Amino acid sequence: MAKLFRAVIMGPPGSGKGTISERIAQRFALTRLSSGDFVRENIAANTDAGVLAKTYIERGLLVPDHVMTRLLLPRLEEMTRHSWLMDGFPRTLAQAKALNSTCDLDLVISLNIPYETLKERLSDRWIHPASGRVYNMGFNPPHVQGRDDISGEPLIQHDDDKPEALVARLRHYKDMAKPIIDLYKSKGILHTFSGTETDRIWPYINSLLSTKIPSTSQTDTQRIPMP
C-alpha cells in the first residue's frame, strides 16, 4: 500500500487558503477537508455536535476546542486509508495537540500575507452563508452582483471582514497561530510562503509538494462522500 500523505494549510483570513487548497487537491488528488464545511454539514444534519456548534455561532462566538474536535476527529479516524489536506483546523494549540493524537502530519503550509493585502482582499469579500462560497469583487466576482452563482441567494459581508474589525481579527489570528506554528516548526514539518499574489505563491507550493507527495498516492485517493 502506498504511503499516505496528510497536510494542513494555515493562514489568516483573506490569505487565499481556500483557493490554494483547491489547487492542491486537484493537482495532487488529495481529499480536501474544510472545517467550515464540517460545521455546516453537522448543523444541517442536526447532529449533537452541530446543534452545540450552532449555539456558539448564533451568538457570534468561536466554536470552542472541545466542540471542534468532536466534529472533526471522528471523520479523520474514518479516513485511515486516504491522503488529505485540512483547511481551517487546527486553529488553537489545543486543537493541534488533539490532531497530533489522531494522526501524524507530513507537512504544514503557512501563508504569510502582508496586512495591506489582507485588508484589500477582505474589504472586497462577500459570502454565501448557507454554502460558505466566497466571492471577491476584485478577482472572483459573482455573475450577478450581490447574488450567489449557484443558488441565486443574496451574498453578505461579514462584520469582521469590514476594515474597522480587521485589525483585531488579524491580531487574534496571529496570537492563536503562533504556538501552533512553533509546534510544527519544532517538528520540522512547517513550510512558510510569503507574498501578495496567490498565483505567484502557488508555483513554490506546487514545487514543494511535488517533492513531498509520493506519486502513487495521487492515484489511490478517493473522494469521501459527505453525509
Side-chain angles (χ1 to χ4, degrees), residues 13 19 25 27 30 40 71 78 93 124 143 157 170 180-181 190 196 198 204 213 217:
T19 299
R27 170 70 177 83
L30 300 180
R40 283 184 286 272
L71 285 168
E78 295 171 359
L93 184 58
D124 286 340
H143 297 316
Q157 187 173 42
L170 294 179
I180 306 173
I181 288 171
L190 180 75
T196 59
T198 297
Y204 296 99
I213 298 179
S217 75

Side-chain angles (χ1 to χ4, degrees), residues 3-173:
K3 182 184 183 301
L4 297 175
F5 185 85
R6 278 75 180 268
V8 162
I9 184 167
M10 299 177 58
S15 60
K17 291 192 305 297
T19 299
I20 290 175
S21 295
E22 288 176 3
R23 292 185 185 183
I24 292 172
Q26 292 171 6
R27 170 70 177 83
F28 297 98
L30 300 180
T31 299
R32 182 193 172 201
L33 306 176
S34 164
S35 62
D37 288 347
F38 285 161
V39 171
R40 283 184 286 272
E41 288 162 9
N42 276 269
I43 290 175
N46 212 35
T47 66
D48 289 344
V51 170
L52 192 54
K54 187 177 180 181
T55 64
Y56 291 95
I57 294 170
E58 287 179 339
R59 288 180 286 163
L61 303 173
L62 293 174
V63 180
D65 294 336
H66 72 278
V67 179
M68 288 302 300
T69 54
R70 186 174 167 188
L71 285 168
L72 270 73
L73 296 189
R75 182 69 63 85
L76 295 183
E77 290 169 357
E78 295 171 359
M79 299 184 62
T80 55
R81 299 179 61 185
H82 297 271
S83 296
W84 46 258
L85 170 70
M86 175 66 78
D87 170 9
F89 183 92
R91 293 191 178 185
T92 68
L93 184 58
Q95 292 176 13
K97 290 179 177 178
L99 181 59
N100 283 348
S101 69
T102 303
C103 65
D104 293 322
L105 293 177
D106 295 286
L107 183 141
V108 175
I109 294 168
S110 177
L111 302 177
N112 181 27
I113 312 299
Y115 168 75
E116 287 301 323
T117 301
L118 296 173
K119 180 179 176 182
E120 182 178 333
R121 288 180 183 177
L122 291 174
S123 65
D124 286 340
R125 185 163 83 162
W126 291 77
I127 294 172
H128 179 237
S131 68
R133 282 185 287 273
V134 177
Y135 299 87
N136 185 285
M137 297 307 168
F139 58 82
N140 178 38
H143 297 316
V144 177
Q145 186 170 355
R147 296 284 174 176
D148 177 54
D149 287 349
I150 296 176
S151 69
E153 294 171 344
L155 303 176
I156 66 167
Q157 187 173 42
H158 283 164
D159 287 340
D160 55 7
D161 282 345
K162 295 175 181 177
E164 55 271 23
L166 186 56
V167 173
R169 189 179 180 195
L170 294 179
R171 184 180 297 119
H172 176 77
Y173 169 80

Side-chain angles (χ1 to χ4, degrees), residues 186-208:
S186 72
K187 289 179 173 290
I189 59 174
L190 180 75
H191 296 265
T192 301
F193 297 88
S194 301
T196 59
E197 297 179 32
T198 297
D199 285 344
R200 293 194 176 189
I201 294 173
W202 167 245
Y204 296 99
I205 295 175
N206 184 46
S207 295
L208 171 69

